[in-house]
Amino acid sequence: MREKKMRGINRKTTRLLERIKAYTETFPTDFYHGYWHLHLPASQAFIDSPKTPEKAKRACIQALVDQAEHLVRLKPSKNYRVVALITSPELWGSQIIVFKGDDYFTRFFDRNSDDQKWVPLPKSRNLQTEKNLLIPSYFNVSGVTEMIIDEDGTEENEIWFVGELK
């Protein structure tokens, strides 16, 4: 089924999807400050361009979810959590994160300061439906509105988390 949805993807996107897969082929071994992460290996000019088809963007999101699932299957122990982080509307900040232990995992989600807040998105929102994604049934999905507050005002974006959240 996934192959059908991938038809019509251009060569540049195909190479990007191959890089995501290659970079996550094996389980990471280098953890700094309690985590490992892989940012979407694409240029911001390409992935956030209005000229980049939605089909290509959706394929990148699906690849991050698929490779997060792949890394879950490779985990050497339950001491790790794997999460795909999807930013919207601009995808360039998207990444896969592998947390080692619960210490950094717990601190990572504590975003309530004067300059950054994460406010949960309504439960009625559904990333899987909105982006037509295939998400493993054992993955949790949660979304927040990220508010960055500075002297110029407030910038809002969405961040979705897909993976081992509980």
Side-chain angles (χ1 to χ4, degrees):
M1 173 118 175
R2 287 186 182 153
E3 278 72 36
K4 280 186 179 180
K5 291 186 178 194
M6 299 307 249
R7 285 190 200 145
I9 299 293
N10 69 26
R11 190 167 161 83
K12 188 172 193 172
T13 303
T14 300
R15 286 193 310 266
L16 170 57
L17 299 174
E18 289 169 355
R19 282 195 308 275
I20 294 169
K21 190 172 183 177
Y23 293 148
T24 55
E25 191 171 305
T26 60
F27 197 80
T29 56
D30 295 326
F31 290 84
Y32 300 99
H33 306 291
Y35 70 97
W36 170 93
H37 65 117
L38 170 71
H39 279 273
L40 191 60
S43 72
Q44 186 174 13
F46 169 72
I47 199 63
D48 290 339
S49 171
K51 293 179 182 179
T52 301
E54 285 303 313
K55 180 184 269 188
K57 293 178 181 186
R58 192 206 76 73
C60 289
I61 295 169
Q62 185 66 60
L64 291 175
V65 171
D66 291 347
Q67 291 312 112
E69 178 185 23
H70 172 74
L71 290 174
V72 167
R73 289 192 307 265
L74 296 179
K75 284 190 331 183
S77 75
K78 292 183 178 186
N79 192 40
Y80 300 91
R81 292 180 192 239
V82 181
V83 176
L85 182 154
I86 311 301
T87 56
S88 179
E90 297 171 341
L91 287 179
W92 193 64
S94 299
Q95 57 188 290
I96 296 174
I97 307 170
V98 179
F99 297 94
K100 185 176 183 181
D102 286 334
D103 186 45
Y104 184 72
F105 175 81
T106 303
R107 288 184 290 129
F108 179 82
F109 290 94
D110 183 18
R111 305 291 174 112
N112 192 20
S113 65
D114 291 340
D115 57 347
Q116 183 185 38
K117 296 186 184 323
W118 282 0
V119 179
L121 287 169
K123 297 284 185 205
S124 60
R125 296 284 309 277
N126 185 316
L127 179 70
Q128 186 169 7
T129 303
E130 291 175 22
K131 299 292 185 185
N132 192 25
L133 300 173
L134 300 170
I135 297 176
S137 61
Y138 61 91
F139 271 7
N140 304 106
V141 180
S142 178
V144 298
T145 298
E146 176 187 48
M147 299 181 342
I148 303 292
I149 305 143
D150 62 22
E151 61 275 354
D152 294 330
T154 301
E155 179 184 329
E156 292 188 10
N157 299 292
E158 288 184 359
I159 302 174
W160 288 93
F161 305 97
V162 180
E164 299 178 302
L165 302 174
K166 295 183 181 182

